Amino acid sequence: FGVQTINSVVVNYCIDGGDTVSRRWTGTLVGGDTTVFTGGTGVTLEAGFHNLVAWTSDTLTVGTALIRDHEPLNNASNVNNPDDVSFIVCTGPMSGVVNVGGENADYNNMYEFLLTLSRCGVDDSLVVKLCSDSVYGPFEMPAVFGTTEEHYVWFEPSGERVKFVSDGGATPYIANMAEASNVHLRNIDFVRRSGALTNMVVLGINSNDCHFEGCTFTDSASSATSAIEAMIASDHANNVYVKGCTVKGGNKGVDISGRTLELRSTGATVERCYFSGQDTSAVQVQYMDNVSVQKNEMYDVASNTSYVLMANGCYGNVRIMANKIYTTHGAGELGVGKLFGTQSNRAIVANNM
């Protein structure tokens, strides 16, 4: 903002690093005031994420006199960060397959993709291919309109695996999915390298039907770093599905819990997973309806006052079956309390060893 009234100035802009477009603005802009500049019409852009950089020339018209701007450093829209001014073009909801990261990507990074997804939504299933050569940092999955059990967002690597890592403690999670529903993740590795994390993956009461298949969750931080409370924390989510995953470390491996005995969540599956290195419990399920924990391998916990597998306050179709549980430090293998089945939906605890 200047002091003198400006009557004319050349405004320049470019989109996505393309050609510079220059337009002259004329009017009356008094000192300390703002105005709206329209850069032009008929601009056609592809659907997706775009960057805009805009700046003014340092020669201004005051009345009929041409003067030089004495403070040109504030003439650009985003002097410090070219990504600060961004916008999304939507031609409709998303579907099909998109590529994030790497060569020939539809989106350069997760930030660009997730911002676009949050604005455009989906009208069918969307497969997101993540570049296997990239290492991704923490992310927050937005609420996405249009997702259902049949229309989900599926993340998977473009090759065999892809990795998400902690950022040294600046963010208390690697994946925050508390507002996301119908999100599936396959063959993704989550790793804490350093810094404090509260939970590695965070779900929430709005996180319906989130699936983890073939993923790994690993705490690689030094022993002096505080333990992660849970590698997956459902935090009252419904229909959490964890299958074929490897979970190493954490105070708890998978914590699937409703709010209270009276305010239970429903539907959870933990199946064919491998657990090791937890402090308190490999799997904890409590205040849930219709939960299945079957065919997992659970290796010891550090505490001698807890249970490797604990189930409490669960109703309906409960299946705690065929789990292999190993313990050498004095912890109990299996702790079960307040399981309530019905004649048609029995609670069954069987064939665990």
Side-chain angles (χ1 to χ4, degrees), residues 2-320:
V3 175
Q4 299 190 63
T5 298
I6 299 172
N7 299 108
S8 178
V9 65
V10 174
V11 179
N12 313 283
Y13 68 90
C14 68
I15 297 174
D16 298 336
D19 295 336
T20 297
V21 178
S22 298
R23 296 282 188 271
R24 179 171 291 277
W25 172 87
T26 58
T28 300
L29 180 60
V30 300
D33 204 353
T34 62
T35 189
V36 176
F37 168 77
T38 301
T41 59
V43 178
T44 302
L45 296 171
E46 294 182 356
F49 180 94
H50 299 277
N51 285 322
L52 170 70
V53 178
W55 66 99
T56 59
S57 299
D58 64 356
T59 300
L60 313 173
T61 301
V62 177
T64 59
L66 297 179
I67 65 172
R68 296 295 299 274
D69 186 354
H70 294 289
E71 185 52 76
L73 293 179
N74 63 3
N75 289 354
S77 59
N78 43 7
V79 173
N80 296 320
N81 187 351
D83 294 329
D84 281 351
V85 178
S86 57
F87 61 95
I88 305 300
V89 175
C90 288
T91 57
M94 304 173 72
S95 62
V97 179
V98 298
N99 294 280
V100 177
E103 296 183 1
N104 303 315
D106 300 298
Y107 300 90
N108 292 318
N109 50 56
M110 283 287 284
Y111 170 76
E112 291 185 9
F113 168 69
L114 293 177
L115 186 60
T116 305
L117 181 64
S118 69
R119 302 298 192 269
C120 300
V122 301
D123 61 0
D124 203 341
S125 292
L126 176 67
V127 177
V128 184
K129 296 283 189 177
L130 301 169
C131 178
S132 296
D133 295 330
S134 299
V135 176
Y136 298 86
F139 70 95
E140 184 172 343
M141 187 71 193
V144 181
F145 68 85
T147 57
T148 66
E149 289 185 41
E150 292 76 30
H151 298 163
Y152 47 80
V153 180
W154 181 293
F155 291 86
E156 63 179 24
S158 58
E160 292 186 2
R161 311 288 303 184
V162 68
K163 184 177 293 185
F164 284 83
V165 301
S166 61
D167 59 5
T171 308
Y173 54 78
I174 295 180
N176 184 345
M177 300 167 59
E179 298 299 325
S181 292
N182 302 290
V183 176
H184 298 193
L185 299 100
R186 176 178 174 270
N187 292 347
I188 294 176
D189 301 326
F190 297 90
V191 181
R192 175 170 76 163
R193 291 175 170 174
S194 62
L197 289 181
T198 304
N199 294 294
M200 183 168 281
V201 175
V202 180
L203 303 176
I205 197 168
N206 295 320
S207 307
N208 296 319
D209 295 286
C210 289
H211 291 204
F212 304 87
E213 300 181 35
C215 298
T216 68
F217 306 85
T218 306
D219 187 357
S220 296
S222 67
S223 58
T225 308
S226 59
I228 301 169
E229 183 58 29
M231 306 299 265
I232 301 177
S234 73
D235 198 19
H236 325 316
N238 293 316
N239 300 318
V240 180
Y241 185 84
V242 184
K243 182 178 180 180
C245 294
T246 299
V247 184
K248 297 181 179 180
N251 188 35
K252 302 183 188 74
V254 174
D255 182 0
I256 296 180
S257 301
R259 191 174 297 275
T260 66
L261 190 60
E262 292 74 27
L263 298 173
R264 300 182 302 278
S265 297
T266 185
T269 298
V270 181
E271 181 178 310
R272 298 183 184 276
C273 295
Y274 176 96
F275 295 87
S276 65
Q278 283 74 50
D279 291 335
T280 303
S281 296
V283 176
Q284 174 179 287
V285 291
Q286 63 178 348
Y287 311 142
M288 296 292 300
D289 288 349
N290 306 324
V291 61
S292 173
V293 181
Q294 299 194 58
K295 300 180 180 179
N296 300 284
E297 290 190 31
M298 305 175 188
Y299 284 84
D300 219 341
V301 294
S303 171
N304 62 1
T305 60
S306 62
Y307 296 96
V308 179
L309 169 57
M310 187 174 75
N312 177 58
C314 298
Y315 283 67
N317 187 7
V318 178
R319 299 290 184 269
I320 311 293

